[in-house]
Amino acid sequence: ETGVTQTPRHLVMGMTNKKSLKCEQHLGHNAMYWYKQSAKKPLELMFVYSLEERVENNSVPSRFSPECPNSSHLFLHLHTLQPEDSALYLCASSPGVASPEAFFGQGTRLTVV
Amino acid sequence: SQQGEEDPQALSIQEGENATMNCSYKTSINNLQWYRQNSGRGLVHLILIRSNEREKHSGRLRVTLDTSKKSSSLLITASRAADTASYFCATHGAGSYQLTFGKGTKLSVIP
């Protein structure tokens, strides 16, 4: 256990569905991240939050909408996704955005049909 | 832009042998880290080496860093079947708070 919990672990959704991924960290960290891991590609940083404020958005399509209501919780709202969005979505946290080490959750395996 | 790039992409060894994985990167870094990922699961931090360090040890892990060549290596000694996983290097750039990952090396340790 890394102290970062993601739910659900697996999700299958249609292209017209709306769903949300949830991440919760119990480490008292101030920074939280969403990464996307596709087959045969490096991990891609999607969003960075520091103290509930978004500080980085790496040109992610608007069909992905993050929300950080407090420093312990992070959501990724999904709507009208495409099959190529199927991937493992990983949440991570760190003490602060300048802290080097990241603690990852187990990920949500998303399949878009 | 992609920073770390691991080599080889896949490595298969017998239990008890040593495994060496390499990572190359392109720009200045504050530190370089190695992570491990079991199939389809989250990443686990293994070890961090700062830009002013040349070698670091943690249990059976040994990491080296050569900033002049912009490269790092991870050595796992006396490998075990449980070491089977993908290993990623990640760089923390100078003046940046982003971690940039490579594509990883898939290690298989055969019992």
Side-chain angles (χ1 to χ4, degrees):
Chain A
E1 281 298 327
T2 61
V4 181
T5 305
Q6 288 186 246
T7 55
R9 291 294 309 278
H10 300 271
L11 178 63
V12 179
M13 61 184 288
M15 289 188 282
T16 58
N17 291 160
K18 289 184 181 180
K19 296 285 184 183
S20 296
L21 309 185
K22 180 182 175 182
C23 177
E24 184 174 359
Q25 57 98 359
H26 309 276
L27 302 168
H29 289 169
N30 290 327
M32 296 188 77
Y33 311 80
W34 280 117
Y35 285 87
K36 176 183 177 182
Q37 187 177 33
S38 305
K40 299 182 182 178
K41 290 176 72 175
L43 263 78
E44 301 170 62
L45 179 64
M46 300 175 72
F47 301 104
V48 180
Y49 275 83
S50 175
L51 294 169
E52 301 133 52
E53 283 196 31
R54 193 190 312 179
V55 296
E56 189 79 21
N57 176 350
N58 278 357
S59 304
V60 179
S62 60
R63 57 185 184 269
F64 295 91
S65 174
E67 178 191 1
C68 189
N70 55 63
S71 59
S72 299
H73 293 86
L74 185 65
F75 294 90
L76 188 62
H77 304 300
L78 315 170
H79 64 98
T80 57
L81 295 192
Q82 305 298 311
E84 59 264 29
D85 296 322
S86 299
L88 182 68
Y89 288 84
L90 292 162
C91 172
S93 71
S94 65
V97 289
S99 303
E101 182 182 340
F103 294 76
F104 283 82
Q106 295 296 309
T108 294
R109 172 67 64 186
L110 174 68
T111 304
V112 182
V113 298
Chain B
S1 62
Q2 183 176 329
Q3 178 73 304
E5 193 151 335
E6 292 87 347
D7 163 57
Q9 291 187 11
L11 179 61
S12 185
I13 60 173
Q14 294 292 130
E15 200 166 28
E17 293 180 341
N18 295 342
T20 299
M21 289 160 269
N22 303 296
C23 169
S24 59
Y25 58 92
K26 295 178 181 169
T27 60
S28 297
I29 61 171
N30 280 336
N31 62 75
L32 184 144
Q33 304 172 47
W34 286 90
Y35 286 81
R36 165 197 168 123
Q37 183 180 35
N38 286 66
S39 181
R41 299 176 72 88
L43 279 74
V44 176
H45 182 267
L46 295 176
I47 196 166
L48 178 152
I49 186 165
R50 301 190 186 281
S51 59
N52 61 353
E53 297 176 309
R54 292 298 167 256
E55 188 171 313
K56 206 157 181 183
H57 297 254
S58 176
R60 293 184 295 115
L61 305 180
R62 173 178 168 251
V63 169
T64 61
L65 179 65
D66 186 335
T67 52
S68 66
K69 294 181 180 177
K70 291 187 169 59
S71 67
S72 172
S73 67
L74 171 67
L75 169 68
I76 303 175
T77 60
S79 64
R80 304 167 183 167
D83 294 329
T84 295
S86 291
Y87 292 82
F88 297 86
C89 69
T91 52
H92 205 221
S96 167
Y97 48 73
Q98 287 199 31
L99 265 183
T100 306
F101 287 82
K103 292 183 182 179
T105 292
K106 191 168 184 178
L107 174 67
S108 299
V109 181
I110 303 164

